[in-house]
Amino acid sequence: MNEIEEKIKTLRDELEQHNYNYYVLSSPTISDYDFDIKLKELQALEEAHPELADPASPTQRIGSDISREFVQIEHKYPMLSLGNTYSEEEVRDFYHRTMRSLHEPFEITGELKFDGTSISLLYEHGRLIRAITRGDGTRGDDVTANVKTIRSIPLKLRGSGYPDEFEIRGEILLPWAEFDRLNSEREEQEEPLFANPRNAASGTLKQLNPAIVASRKLDAYFYYLLGEDLPAQSHYENLCHARSWGFKIPGMIRKCHSLEEIFDYLSYWNIERKNLPVATDGVVLKVNSLLQQRNLGFTAKSPRWAIAYKFQAEQAATRLNSVSFQVGRTGAVTPVANLEPVLLSGTTVKRASLHNADIIEGLDLHTGDTVYVEKGGEIIPKITGVDKDARSTVMGNKVSFIKECPECGTPLIRPQGEAAHYCPNESGCPPQIKGRIEHFVTRRAMDINIGPETVEDLYEAGYIRNPADLYLLTETDLLRLERWAEKSARNLMDSLEQSKAVPFERVLYALGIRYVGETVAKRLAFAFQNITNLKQATLETLTEVDEIGGRIAQSILDYFNNEKNQVITARLEAYGLQMSMNETILANRSEKLKDLTIVISGTFLKHSRDEYKAMIEQHGGKNSGSVSGKTDYILAGENMGPAKLEKAAKLGVKIINEEEFLNMLSE
Ligand code: IVH
């Protein structure tokens, strides 16, 4: 081994050990910063020596941004489901049935049923070869590239004694903390929220872009080993071996020798599971001995040697006192049930979401009704039913959706095909005004150093009614308010001044035009270059821009047609905000790639993928993620995906390398 090889190997081993310490053992021994430095060092070495590439290198966990359609693959062993029950009676039946069938002593393992999305991993000679989703049980999607980004999954096994070939099955989970973080981020971006961590985990795993998957911090727990030559003759011991190879095997697994022990386990975890970092929805009971499992066999759908006991989603009955209506920053109106406080899953519940008018109608709600509240995997408790028998002869009033905005009195509208009602008074309705200013100041928008409470105070004091008003604030104004000292006032002034350098595309995003998120804002900025052009845009010129459809285009037109918005944007421009694209970027613009659609694939030596992407856009071309009949060129680096290569050959798409691409630009 030469010096470079040696260095690369040391770094890989060291980084993998740190991954294991952090993600499997939860006891890191290095700072994130030092870890990143080492990872960057390894990345640089690997880029300089592509011949030393290794699909199991820790750098492969970063997730490339090559999007790929998933290929379907047949499972070697079908992925069956489990018989489900909610009743202790059926657990008893399962136990006695097993006893009668086996005629000999047996052990039952109790383990938690994790509520995520199931995965099957294939390892050969200690290396992760493939990761397949459950699919229909017989065939699933090949999601290997995404699964590699999950740091607690070993790409290379530790220790020894693993079979040359085996499969291990488990659950991919999004921990509660990460779920909350993801949802608040989505709320800020006006993207639909995930209802529970399970949906979030399966949605993430099906992302076409592994870089997005990598950013979402999934975790994985394993519970089932399959293969021809497993190390032990019992489920429990096999899992212990798997733990020594580096897999995250939950520690809550117990061997039970009687029904009492099983019921103790069930009642213990029914409570204790609420303290776990991930969602669980029951307990799985399995016959421990593999020989006995084989004797018991399978029904058409599930093993006879296992059963899932599901925890009751906790329910409580309480009185509906009233329904109130909340207005969000987009004007959407949400009905909220105000309840007689009731204890549910350890917290006092006073309010529950009623979602929309159809839900209220479906429940036939009346004030004073006794309603059932449930807290399942969802964050906000929901009302699942009404106890109609509990209604007295004098019923309360039927709950109906309001006709006017509770904040400003404007008649509500319900757009065709939508479930939600909206208040259309965008510029006069207080929560909408405050919400828009809160969005304007966020870090990814103008990055102005104030939070929602300050926005509230400034609004109440009458200083701000729209984002432009922020730039009229003076230190004297602020010092007149409670809780403001010279230092904090100075800070806000500085922060406002600095925001004037924020580039045009972020200013566009900050305006809070409905459906204009960060990506759309960037595309608009590139396509129209300044606000004057954008204001003159038509439905046609807008929809010509890549990925801008009729709905977004109409929303942009509506925004600029509104006189109040015209005044606001004119004022922002007058105060010195960036209302056109950066000069140097513009100066280097050309139309050399006009009307050309280019797909980037593989890894490059001279520039990063993002730089190539920016170059394509800067020269009027379109960057696309997948090869199709519309593709003009594939800009191919090292290790271009075989699927893309095949498709390109079939469609006769021209493949060019870095030099050829750069020559096209310098011609
Ligand atoms: S064992 C043949 N153990 O529940 C038995 N499954 O309804 C294979 N699950 O698809 C499954 N936690 O996604 C097993 N500790 C656990 C589990 C578990 C969650 C999921 C899994 C499976 C489904 C069965």
Side-chain angles (χ1 to χ4, degrees):
M1 227 191 285
N2 68 26
E3 211 176 301
I4 300 282
E5 276 175 86
E6 194 90 51
K7 180 79 196 156
I8 288 185
K9 180 172 183 321
T10 314
L11 278 169
R12 282 177 183 160
D13 289 349
E14 220 180 307
L15 285 163
E16 236 4 71
Q17 180 66 38
H18 289 307
N19 266 331
Y20 178 74
N21 292 347
Y22 189 103
Y23 292 99
V24 179
L25 304 181
S26 304
S27 57
T29 56
I30 184 177
S31 72
D32 291 358
Y33 178 78
D34 290 336
F35 181 92
D36 287 341
I37 300 262
K38 284 185 194 289
L39 188 66
K40 289 224 171 79
E41 189 183 348
L42 175 59
Q43 248 177 322
L45 284 171
E46 288 183 353
E47 264 171 43
H49 300 274
E51 73 282 2
L52 299 177
D54 179 351
S57 166
T59 54
Q60 300 306 300
R61 294 188 182 277
I62 302 161
S64 90
D65 59 359
I66 308 173
S67 290
R68 273 185 226 182
E69 301 286 322
F70 299 118
V71 178
Q72 296 235 309
I73 290 187
E74 192 154 332
H75 289 293
K76 182 163 176 203
Y77 311 93
M79 284 182 88
L80 300 173
S81 59
L82 290 173
N84 267 343
T85 177
Y86 287 91
S87 89
E88 298 196 350
E89 204 41 51
E90 287 184 34
V91 171
R92 212 168 267 135
D93 288 349
F94 165 75
Y95 192 82
H96 290 131
R97 212 169 40 236
T98 310
M99 202 147 83
R100 278 198 306 276
S101 308
L102 289 176
H103 291 298
E104 60 182 9
F106 59 92
E107 288 174 331
I108 297 281
T109 58
E111 53 196 84
L112 284 168
K113 187 170 189 306
F114 296 98
D115 197 10
T117 182
S118 45
I119 193 77
S120 189
L121 306 182
L122 171 68
Y123 283 80
E124 282 175 15
H125 307 290
R127 283 162 170 261
L128 172 64
I129 300 298
R130 199 172 287 133
I132 315 177
T133 63
R134 183 187 149 90
D136 62 5
T138 313
R139 301 163 68 80
D141 287 329
D142 180 344
V143 289
T144 315
N146 285 348
V147 163
K148 278 189 176 174
T149 68
I150 303 172
R151 309 282 168 123
S152 60
I153 292 184
L155 303 181
K156 246 164 50 182
L157 299 183
R158 316 170 65 80
S160 60
Y162 39 78
D164 279 351
E165 187 182 321
F166 68 91
E167 281 189 40
I168 190 163
R169 292 187 178 163
E171 206 77 357
I172 294 194
L173 300 152
L174 194 71
W176 285 112
E178 187 61 14
F179 170 73
D180 293 340
R181 189 194 63 74
L182 184 61
N183 258 355
S184 35
E185 195 179 284
R186 290 172 77 83
E187 195 165 16
E188 194 177 297
Q189 314 271 325
E190 275 188 71
E191 286 175 296
L193 301 191
F194 287 117
N196 51 49
R198 177 180 5 98
N199 291 355
S202 62
T204 302
L205 200 63
K206 293 293 185 60
Q207 274 284 335
L208 289 175
N209 182 342
I212 296 184
V213 183
S215 74
R216 290 203 188 154
K217 315 268 153 45
L218 292 166
D219 202 351
Y221 288 20
F222 291 88
Y223 45 66
Y224 191 22
L225 209 60
L226 290 128
E228 309 299 322
D229 42 11
L230 299 182
Q233 274 308 312
S234 80
H235 169 64
Y236 186 90
E237 277 178 81
N238 277 328
L239 289 186
C240 293
H241 282 285
R243 183 180 289 133
S244 77
W245 305 331
F247 291 102
K248 200 161 185 170
I249 308 286
M252 319 79 164
I253 173 165
R254 282 286 165 283
K255 284 193 269 191
C256 303
H257 303 88
S258 67
L259 261 177
E260 273 101 70
E261 279 180 39
I262 292 175
F263 286 131
D264 282 348
Y265 187 82
L266 297 186
S267 50
Y268 178 78
W269 282 110
N270 194 14
I271 308 294
E272 219 30 58
R273 71 187 179 109
K274 285 157 205 153
N275 300 321
L276 295 175
V278 294
T280 53
D281 63 345
V283 162
V284 182
L285 302 169
K286 298 174 186 165
V287 171
N288 190 26
S289 147
L290 299 193
L291 190 63
Q292 290 176 338
Q293 286 188 0
R294 238 169 282 140
N295 286 339
L296 290 163
F298 294 83
T299 69
K301 281 187 300 190
S302 52
R304 288 204 186 85
W305 44 263
I307 190 169
Y309 171 83
K310 300 252 250 175
F311 299 125
Q312 282 289 345
E314 276 179 274
Q315 226 186 34
T318 189
R319 191 188 126 98
L320 174 70
N321 288 333
S322 64
V323 173
S324 47
F325 294 85
Q326 286 177 351
V327 186
R329 91 160 152 97
T330 59
V333 181
T334 317
V336 179
N338 300 306
L339 306 167
E340 198 54 37
V342 63
L343 204 63
L344 183 63
S345 315
T347 53
T348 305
V349 174
K350 298 187 200 114
R351 291 145 70 79
S353 168
L354 284 166
H355 303 285
N356 58 49
D358 295 342
I359 302 258
I360 295 179
E361 197 55 39
L363 288 166
D364 183 32
L365 271 190
H366 289 67
T367 45
D369 271 346
T370 301
V371 293
Y372 299 113
V373 211
E374 235 177 55
K375 215 166 161 188
E378 275 73 30
I379 356 163
I380 308 160
K382 61 180 178 201
I383 292 184
T384 52
V386 178
D387 182 359
K388 296 204 170 130
D389 295 335
R391 278 177 182 161
S392 58
T393 37
V394 257
M395 256 203 321
N397 289 329
K398 187 171 160 62
V399 175
S400 51
F401 212 91
I402 43 169
K403 301 261 178 307
E404 278 138 27
C405 175
E407 301 276 347
C408 70
T410 308
L412 299 181
I413 52 162
R414 179 176 178 173
Q416 225 185 355
E418 280 196 42
H421 282 75
Y422 290 89
C423 165
N425 181 18
E426 281 168 34
S427 51
C429 180
Q432 296 190 59
I433 297 174
K434 284 182 267 182
R436 228 170 304 118
I437 299 174
E438 279 166 25
H439 167 76
F440 185 82
V441 300
T442 49
R443 195 173 46 82
R444 302 185 73 99
M446 301 306 289
D447 194 17
I448 296 166
N449 213 347
I450 52 175
E453 299 81 34
T454 311
V455 171
E456 175 76 39
D457 290 350
L458 294 172
Y459 178 88
E460 287 306 325
Y463 286 142
I464 52 173
R465 286 293 174 267
N466 61 56
D469 292 343
L470 286 167
Y471 294 90
L472 294 182
L473 289 170
T474 63
E475 268 185 75
T476 345
D477 287 340
L478 296 173
L479 291 175
R480 249 185 250 136
L481 299 174
E482 266 177 63
R483 285 186 288 142
W484 282 84
E486 232 158 80
K487 182 150 183 264
S488 46
R490 187 71 258 150
N491 279 346
L492 175 52
M493 289 298 124
D494 288 347
S495 177
L496 282 165
E497 201 49 44
Q498 275 160 21
S499 76
K500 293 179 184 170
V502 164
F504 178 49
E505 62 267 26
R506 270 171 58 193
V507 176
L508 260 186
Y509 167 65
L511 292 178
I513 305 171
R514 187 173 290 166
Y515 310 130
V516 179
E518 286 174 287
T519 322
V520 172
K522 250 188 223 153
R523 292 198 189 274
L524 289 172
F526 253 114
F528 294 94
Q529 299 174 21
N530 59 48
I531 195 121
T532 316
N533 291 343
L534 185 59
K535 278 180 183 165
Q536 287 161 0
T538 62
L539 197 67
E540 287 73 40
T541 55
L542 282 166
T543 48
E544 264 170 31
V545 180
D546 209 12
E547 275 172 50
I548 295 190
R551 187 185 66 146
I552 303 178
Q554 192 54 52
S555 163
I556 296 164
L557 292 177
D558 290 348
Y559 180 89
F560 287 111
N561 277 338
N562 182 325
E563 251 171 71
K564 291 183 180 139
N565 293 333
Q566 286 167 16
V567 175
I568 292 169
T569 48
R571 281 176 59 200
L572 289 175
E573 186 161 18
Y575 300 149
L577 271 66
Q578 300 298 314
M579 290 298 182
S580 55
M581 282 294 279
N582 180 295
E583 290 295 326
T584 39
I585 294 182
L586 276 187
N588 292 324
R589 251 181 99 83
S590 84
E591 300 219 313
K592 284 181 184 152
L593 304 177
K594 193 170 155 39
D595 295 330
L596 294 181
T597 299
I598 301 176
V599 171
I600 305 179
S601 182
T603 48
F604 299 91
L605 301 172
K606 301 202 162 162
H607 296 275
S608 74
R609 293 169 64 89
D610 280 341
E611 281 166 355
Y612 279 122
K613 245 186 223 170
M615 281 185 225
I616 293 174
E617 282 168 8
Q618 199 175 0
H619 294 280
K622 261 190 210 169
N623 171 242
S624 159
S626 60
V627 182
S628 74
K630 289 188 203 146
T631 312
D632 294 291
Y633 292 101
I634 298 179
L635 169 53
E638 304 271 327
N639 311 323
M640 170 175 165
K644 273 201 179 122
L645 210 70
E646 199 179 305
K647 208 161 175 193
K650 215 165 85 192
L651 294 169
V653 178
K654 194 160 178 216
I655 300 177
I656 52 173
N657 63 25
E658 279 179 286
E659 270 94 63
E660 290 168 304
F661 175 78
L662 294 171
N663 282 342
M664 275 167 82
L665 298 186
S666 58
E667 261 164 27

